[in-house]
């Protein structure tokens, strides 16, 4: 039973914190977001140089061999900086999917480039009717001789518009919601028949709706086993969801601290706001919500690669549910305690609030994860 | 006890329905349904004001002699109820409901003759200069100074959260004309031409990317003393009058319209092979909010009844404020959960009703996130809910 | 649109309030509850004398012709006194069922006695498996020549143990949960085959589990139309549920007032508790919850006898749901704000808390009514 | 980071399981599952204490020289976890966890020799005399006086909410020995024989009909000054030490046992043709609470880790208090909703495990309402949750 960080983790934490402090202030972030792409390629290269893009990949694949706890450390620190670069989409979603399901050729082709920051990738697994459920797949992939033909559409693809490579789930057998019959495909974004409608997220990321119309792919585009891709997708989504919980905890910590500072500073009716008991208790509740989410983010990280599926899903769903609920409370109250300026776009408080709001909508909402958690009770003894 | 309207009131209700039937165009309705800000945009407001004014209904509470409708509380209730059900725009209050009543109550005959007709005609657009940086809930600590110079004042300072200042040609301000005695005592109520030299307006974009409020700067702005309403130092009285004038209020029908909108959205939102309406948790979450809206409707009626009987509403006006603001927030929060993954969707274009195509096909989805974000303000403006609960407690605890 | 009371209603209100003040103080109530029956026959006679037992019955039946608003006025005032007499069971449940469904002979036989305080009656419609749902009826009634034979059991029969007459729903056709096929029977409590297991409620009322084993009844025991009893039962339950909402509002008002008094009085850390902002806001929330419940109790009373079933059910379910939720909050917070003594049996605060708790469990819980409300949306226009 | 136990810790875990397997009788388990009060009754406690004491585990934190087990925080965590899972009684803290550590820390050798063995043997049963009428959260305002007379004190006053005073033969009290200076400075820590003349005990029945607490009156009670722990005026220090000594704490496993119990109850409760477990709303309400219990378990581990590393736990001990008490309340509230119409059921007989037949057939139903009613105390005793939030705010706001 040990909650301390290893020496390496501490160094990682410090380096990310230093980066956020030095290179990702609120003003710097604003400038970064003004880029046409909505993020900075330069920052992205820095991520690559610092090895962050290689963190969660096996050493055999050229990665740093980090596990979910390392990811937790990195994401929690990045959560304080509200980064807008496509780290989760490229590294934790598409990258991990490739690393996990891809064969050596595929990894050689894409994974190295990805870790070096030369390739952006995205994972397209959700569909509109299925909402948060990765097993709802209507998109079809049909074998045509040596190649594949894909038709269908995917929704809310995080950083899908800037991605060079799209990893897409499609049905090679069965009907929507059937676990069997889902396969993963790697699609270069410039493949004919691929069209993307880009949109922005409320927290400054990019996403898109993806349509596939008679997209023709070579046989080698299949990533992993045919018909057996769902567990790969779910494993990757869970590990990434655990990371989002850490990101949310980082944002909540920062927001709670910022709000406390504001309450101490700002005076009303002749005393600092921090002197009002109702506001004090609100702060206490914000801290408690943050700690609730933090404890479960740790749990999720510890089990994010567990081989026992039910254990992994319970831990991740518990954490993502709580991160959603806590994030909502902390975000809303931070805005409320700031009063008018909490609503304006010009202070960081609102941006933390928006990030926390968006995190809940990503990789399964609190509602969705609660339902999944409730469906996996531990065996009742006696 | 009964909820029936009298024969006269029913006749009025028919008039309102007819009016809405003929005046509320599909374009106006759509604009309302795609407005995520507190107030509709100026073009929509102007058009609706003009239609109301032609019918004599723009200023429901003004005396007839000034062009008002002199509605009873029940008539107001009926109008608000029908307008909400029909999806009509709300009127922008700064002219008709705020500065207008103050001029009527405290203004000189000359001031009445000058300003009131121009509010009704739409010639003037007003904004409100109360809040300042550093004095939000604690209004009495405001610092904007008006110092006499000849027949004028020289005004220096700044006002914050000034809704529609970027449209307005007039602003009514609370300004400090004296720093002696209690802070409240040195405040005066001043009308200022927004075209005066020395005024500048800086937009404040909200979280949601909307531009509705501003900061207004006054740098040696020369304002005739004749633009003061009432005596020097009477500003606090004017402000308090306005607050009391706004007591009661009818919010439940707009909220009920939101409930119905959410139900429609749930019916239209697929969830695998079913729709979200079949999700018992979401359905009952909506139902629990609908119950509170129903309750609020009765409470509003009870308050109107009290007002009609001449009784002061007591803690109830604060309760109404807390209730509608928190219900609004809970409803927009539920909308986010209905939107699911699209709760993170951000449409930068404004106004939403002016956009041609919509990325997600269903244009209603574009409104949900900004609505949720903007609604956070509901528990902050018009007296934070913390202040309202202080008031309720004082009145119920007698403490 | 009018929320004022009629002159008669004002007089009724005053007389009940006076009664509670003079004859139903906390100490007097304690003495009353010490009776072997758990309530006072003497008080019951007073109720009869004051006409309260006759209030909601038609003048043609010898009643005072009062409607649900009159009942609201009475019950709200009685709610402040936490009365333990079987008024709801005898008058509003069994009595109204008789008045509504019974024929002239049945009314003559029982209703007059009931209004005069000579007959206690109870309504036995719930069954264990059905929980709060009156349409779940497994108890069977079979026609045997001229008579009926009833077998089955009923649960949580309010004041069933002291009742002289039991009105029981039984299935004459169909299967549990089918709306058709339910009939009502009047069963004298001393009929062979009737057995009752009495229990107390947490708020000082009496109830019982009822078992019917080969209970033989004459043909005239049928009350109302055969197979068509459910709507009668539901109408009666709704009108009584509306009354419970008024009772809850009375209890909440009293409790809020008592708590405010306590906070003003009691000092801690050198100032009255009422000076602490957190406690002030708690009081504000208690008041708001009470007003929420009050508005809907009025709505429920106004529609409790509406001929439009959906309108009636919506209004009553909204009110009973809110009364349950508000009552829970107000009760819990009143105890919390009183601190230790809130938990003791020796102050009235705990007894209000228990009454509010029990009211939620009676005639459909908040959960049950919310489900019913949600199932009856008003038509969506446009 | 990991949640693994070391080899030694796993061996200890096996010992605990074996112990529970052999010592936890079905009767004890049933008594625990039918106990709606904070502590189990004396007969159950005595039996369990004796079994623990035979194994040397009654006083987990006492030094070995006084008969304690000297467990590490992780060992405590393991014991509590296994005991909760198995449904073992909790120990009554007043002797072992409260007065014992104070005597060990501040008592004389004579006092240690006199009292400690009798706590372990069960010869003495202790109760705690802190609260008084009028001084609950504000303990420093206590009024019970101890005035020197010869070698004794004369004690006058009264103590409230004294758990198990009707069983105890000793009480440890905070008494006022001086009214000079800060109120805290005049308080001493005194051990009083409950059989002393002048002591009377009045039972206080709780809402639920349970008798667990009492008021204790002291009327010129003669207490040897030798019964004072530490110096005069050191009482506040003792009390604070005790509070800090109780930091950390392991509550999550008991709460998880409640979660499992509720799930079982839902499985066993019919609802028409299904059972309550098939009701998505109830199932997910339970799930949401289970998530918080899981979170609490990790938080407890984190605090233990900090304590093991010698770091002060800071705001976390208050957070733990708030969290377990509110979770307990939420779980008993859910139990009431599961009980449905039987949530109003009151079983007057006590103790519940001594009753033969049960009116409703399922004896578990008899526990639900008293449990709900009694659990209201969880947010009041041991520092109200309002006080705890004050503390958390102070430490996080630095205000």
């Amino acid at each position: 039973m040990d909650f301390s960080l290893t020496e390496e983790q501490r160094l990682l934490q410090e380096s990310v914190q230093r980066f956020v402090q030095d290179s990702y202030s609120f003003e710097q972030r604003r400038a970064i977001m003004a880029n046409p792409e909505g993020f900075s390629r330069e920052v992205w290269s820095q991520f690559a140089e610092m090895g962050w893009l290689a963190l969660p990949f096996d050493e055999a694949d050229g990665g740093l061999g980090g596990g979910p706890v390392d990811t937790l450390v990195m994401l929690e620190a990045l959560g304080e900086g509200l980064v807008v670069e496509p780290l989760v989409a490229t590294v934790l979603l598409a990258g991990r999917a490739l690393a996990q399901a891809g064969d050596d050729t595929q990894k050689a082709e894409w994974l190295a480039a990805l870790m070096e920051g030369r390739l952006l990738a995205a994972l397209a697994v959700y569909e509109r009717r299925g909402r948060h459920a990765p097993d709802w797949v209507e998109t079809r992939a049909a074998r045509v001789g040596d190649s594949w033909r894909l038709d269908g559409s995917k929704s809310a693809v995080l950083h899908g518009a800037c991605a060079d490579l799209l990893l897409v789930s499609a049905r090679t057998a069965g009907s929507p919601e059937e676990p069997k019959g889902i396969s993963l495909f790697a699609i270069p974004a410039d493949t004919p028949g691929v069209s993307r409608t880009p949109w922005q997220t409320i927290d400054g990321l990019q996403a898109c709706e993806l349509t596939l119309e008679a997209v023709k792919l070579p046989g080698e585009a299949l990533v992993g086993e045919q018909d057996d891709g769902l567990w790969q997708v779910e494993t990757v989504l869970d590990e990434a969801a655990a990371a989002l919980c850490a990101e949310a905890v980082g944002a909540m910590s920062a927001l709670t601290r910022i709000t406390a500072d504001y309450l101490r500073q700002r005076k009303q009716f002749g005393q600092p706001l921090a002197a009002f008991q109702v506001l004090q208790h609100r702060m206490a509740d914000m801290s408690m919500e943050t700690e609730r989410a933090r404890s479960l983010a740790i749990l999720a990280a510890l089990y994010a690669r567990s081989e026992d599926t039910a254990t992994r899903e319970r831990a991740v769903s518990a954490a993502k549910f709580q991160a959603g609920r806590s994030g909502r409370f902390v975000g809303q109250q931070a805005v409320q305690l700031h009063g008018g300026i909490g609503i304006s776009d010009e202070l960081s408080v609102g941006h933390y609030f928006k990030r926390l709001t968006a995190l809940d909508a990503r990789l399964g909402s609190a509602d969705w994860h609660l339902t999944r958690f409730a469906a996996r009770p531990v065996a009742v003894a006696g | 006890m009964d909820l029936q309207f009298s024969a006269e009131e029913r006749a009025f209700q028919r008039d309102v329905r007819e009016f809405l039937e003929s005046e509320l165009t599909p374009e106006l309705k759509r604009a309302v349904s795609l407005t995520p800000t507190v107030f509709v945009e100026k073009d929509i407001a102007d058009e609706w004001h003009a239609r109301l004014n032609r019918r004599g209904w723009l200023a429901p509470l003004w005396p007839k002699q000034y062009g008002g409708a002199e509605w009873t509380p029940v008539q107001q209730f009926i109008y608000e109820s029908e307008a909400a059900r029909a999806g009509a725009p709300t009127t922008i209050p700064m002219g008709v409901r705020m500065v207008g009543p103050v001029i009527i109550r405290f203004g000189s005959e000359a001031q009445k003759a000058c300003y009131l007709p121009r509010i009704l005609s739409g010639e003037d657009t007003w904004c409100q200069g109360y809040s300042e940086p550093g004095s939000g809930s604690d209004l009495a600590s405001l610092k904007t100074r008006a110092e006499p110079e000849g027949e004028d004042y020289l005004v220096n300072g700044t006002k914050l959260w000034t809704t529609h200042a970027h449209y307005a040609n007039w602003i009514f301000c609370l300004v400090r004309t004296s720093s002696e005695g209690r802070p409240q005592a040195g405040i005066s109520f001043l009308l200022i031409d927004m075209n005066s030299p020395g005024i500048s307006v800086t937009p404040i974009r909200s979280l949601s990317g909307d531009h509705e409020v501003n900061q207004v700067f006054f740098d040696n702005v020369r304002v005739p003393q004749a633009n003061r309403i009432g005596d020097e130092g009477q500003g606090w009285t004017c402000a308090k009058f306005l607050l009391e004038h706004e007591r009661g209020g009818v919010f439940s029908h707009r909220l009920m319209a939101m409930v119905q909108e959410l139900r429609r959205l749930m019916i239209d939102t697929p969830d695998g092979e079913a729709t979200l309406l079949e999700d018992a948790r979401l359905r009952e979450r909506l139902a629990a909010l609908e119950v509170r809206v129903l309750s609020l409707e009765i409470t509003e009626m009870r308050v109107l009844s009290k007002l009609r009987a001449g009784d002061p509403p007591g803690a109830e006006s604060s309760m109404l404020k807390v209730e509608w603001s928190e219900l609004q927030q809970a409803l927009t929060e539920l909308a986010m959960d209905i939107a699911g993954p699209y709760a993170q969707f951000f449409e930068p274009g404004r106004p939403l009703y002016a956009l041609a195509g919509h990325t997600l096909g269903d244009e209603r989805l574009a409104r949900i996130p900004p609505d949720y974000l903007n609604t956070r303000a509901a528990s902050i403006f018009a007296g934070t809910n913390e202040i309202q609960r202080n008031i309720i407690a004082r009145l119920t605890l007698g403490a």
Side-chain angles (χ1 to χ4, degrees), chain A residues 61 98-99 101-113 165 186 219-224:
Chain A
D61 294 333
L98 267 177
D103 58 29
D104 290 343
T105 322
Q106 291 164 334
K107 289 191 206 174
E109 188 173 356
W110 293 309
L111 211 48
L165 182 72
E220 317 87 80
L222 178 69
V223 178

Side-chain angles (χ1 to χ4, degrees), chain B residues 1-5 9 74 77 256 260 263-264 283-284 287-288 290-292 294-295 298-299 301-302 304-305 308 316 319 322-323 326 385-386 389-390 392-393 396-399:
Chain B
M1 279 194 195
D2 67 72
L3 303 176
Q4 309 308 312
F5 296 129
E9 288 161 351
V74 176
F77 184 85
M256 192 54 89
Q260 304 295 23
R263 182 170 289 118
R264 233 175 281 134
R283 193 173 63 234
E284 297 201 355
E290 185 179 348
V291 166
R292 277 180 60 188
L294 272 180
S295 167
I298 305 292
T299 308
M301 287 179 162
R302 286 167 53 207
L304 286 178
S305 256
R308 196 170 42 172
E316 277 117 339
M319 288 189 188
V322 170
E323 191 69 359
E326 292 182 359
N385 286 13
E386 286 80 11
R389 282 191 166 82
N390 286 349
I392 297 166
T396 54
L397 260 182

Side-chain angles (χ1 to χ4, degrees), chain A residues 1-2 264 281 285 287 291-292 295 314 371 378 380:
Chain A
M1 206 175 101
D2 176 21
R264 271 194 304 270
H281 281 208
D285 287 330
S287 300
E291 292 311 309
R292 250 170 231 149
S295 282
R314 267 176 65 84
T371 301
V378 290
V380 174

Side-chain angles (χ1 to χ4, degrees), chain A residues 9-63:
Chain A
Q9 287 165 346
R10 223 188 321 270
L11 289 172
L12 173 64
Q13 187 180 49
E14 279 169 23
S15 79
V16 183
Q17 285 172 341
R18 201 175 321 114
F19 165 79
V20 166
Q21 220 174 333
D22 297 346
S23 317
Y24 228 90
S25 72
F26 187 60
E27 287 65 33
Q28 287 165 315
R29 177 177 185 264
R30 199 194 291 271
I32 286 168
M33 288 172 68
N35 269 296
E37 282 194 305
F39 65 90
S40 158
R41 292 270 174 179
E42 197 183 318
V43 164
W44 192 247
S45 306
Q46 287 177 274
F47 283 12
E49 276 161 38
M50 291 190 279
W52 300 347
L53 306 185
L55 184 67
F57 301 110
D58 286 353
E59 289 172 17
D61 294 333

Side-chain angles (χ1 to χ4, degrees), chain B residues 101-124:
Chain B
V102 169
I103 292 171
I104 291 170
R105 173 74 178 75
F106 300 99
S108 66
E109 287 312 312
Q111 289 170 327
K112 289 178 200 173
C114 167
Y115 298 109
L116 296 178
R118 297 197 327 225
I119 290 174
L120 294 182
S121 71
E123 192 183 335
D124 286 351

Side-chain angles (χ1 to χ4, degrees), chain B residues 10-275:
Chain B
R10 281 197 304 274
F12 175 77
Q13 189 177 39
R14 278 190 300 274
D15 287 352
V16 173
R17 285 183 185 165
E18 271 166 33
F19 170 80
L20 291 167
E21 189 85 27
S22 71
E23 300 291 329
L24 182 60
T25 64
E27 292 71 30
L28 283 169
K29 266 178 89 150
R30 180 168 167 274
V32 170
S33 80
L34 290 177
T35 295
T37 46
V38 176
F39 300 127
V40 291
E41 282 293 311
K42 184 169 160 56
D43 55 342
I44 303 300
D46 282 351
E47 187 179 336
W48 189 241
H49 284 199
R51 288 169 190 264
L52 280 170
N53 193 38
R54 276 202 294 277
R55 185 67 172 80
W57 287 356
L58 179 55
L61 298 187
W62 293 10
K64 289 210 163 126
Q65 64 177 120
Y66 301 118
E70 274 188 32
W71 282 347
T72 65
V74 176
Q75 283 179 308
Q76 282 178 73
F77 184 85
I78 289 170
Y79 174 82
E80 292 299 339
S81 144
E82 297 296 329
R85 221 184 312 263
T90 51
T91 52
I92 307 282
M94 282 78 81
V96 169
R97 283 166 203 263
M98 301 178 107
V99 76
V102 169
I103 292 171
I104 291 170
R105 173 74 178 75
F106 300 99
S108 66
E109 287 312 312
Q111 289 170 327
K112 289 178 200 173
C114 167
Y115 298 109
L116 296 178
R118 297 197 327 225
I119 290 174
L120 294 182
S121 71
E123 192 183 335
D124 286 351
T125 298
W126 284 87
C127 61
Q128 178 194 40
Y130 276 24
S131 293
E132 298 183 3
S135 68
S137 292
D138 182 11
L139 203 56
S141 68
L142 64 85
K143 292 192 179 61
T144 296
R145 300 184 320 279
E147 283 155 343
E149 188 169 280
E151 301 211 329
D152 298 334
Y153 287 117
L154 274 188
V155 178
N156 281 287
T158 180
K159 293 289 179 182
L160 205 58
W161 316 128
T162 320
T163 302
H164 285 193
H166 53 308
Y167 297 135
N169 58 337
W170 281 90
I171 184 170
F172 59 96
C173 286
L174 293 180
V175 295
R176 183 160 299 290
T177 43
S178 155
S179 45
E180 321 259 290
R182 290 174 57 237
Q184 288 85 345
I187 294 173
S188 299
F189 194 101
L190 206 56
L191 312 183
I192 307 178
D193 187 335
M194 287 290 282
N195 296 314
S196 315
I199 292 189
S200 59
V201 175
T202 307
I204 301 175
R205 204 163 293 276
S206 77
L207 279 186
S208 61
D210 289 286
H211 174 203
E212 188 168 25
V213 299
N214 304 274
Q215 183 162 5
V216 181
F217 296 91
F218 301 88
D219 180 16
N220 278 324
V221 177
R222 188 168 289 278
V223 182
Q225 294 198 14
N227 284 14
R228 195 188 58 235
I229 301 288
D231 294 334
E232 263 199 9
Q234 215 185 350
W236 196 253
T237 312
C238 296
K240 260 179 57 188
F241 162 80
L242 203 49
L243 218 71
E244 281 163 22
H245 189 78
E246 286 191 73
R247 290 182 317 191
V250 183
F251 308 99
S252 59
H253 305 110
R254 297 271 163 191
L255 294 168
M256 192 54 89
M258 282 173 76
V259 167
Q260 304 295 23
E261 208 180 301
L262 290 189
R263 182 170 289 118
R264 233 175 281 134
L265 201 61
M266 281 164 68
I267 291 171
D268 296 346
T269 304
D271 181 17
E273 296 186 345
T275 79

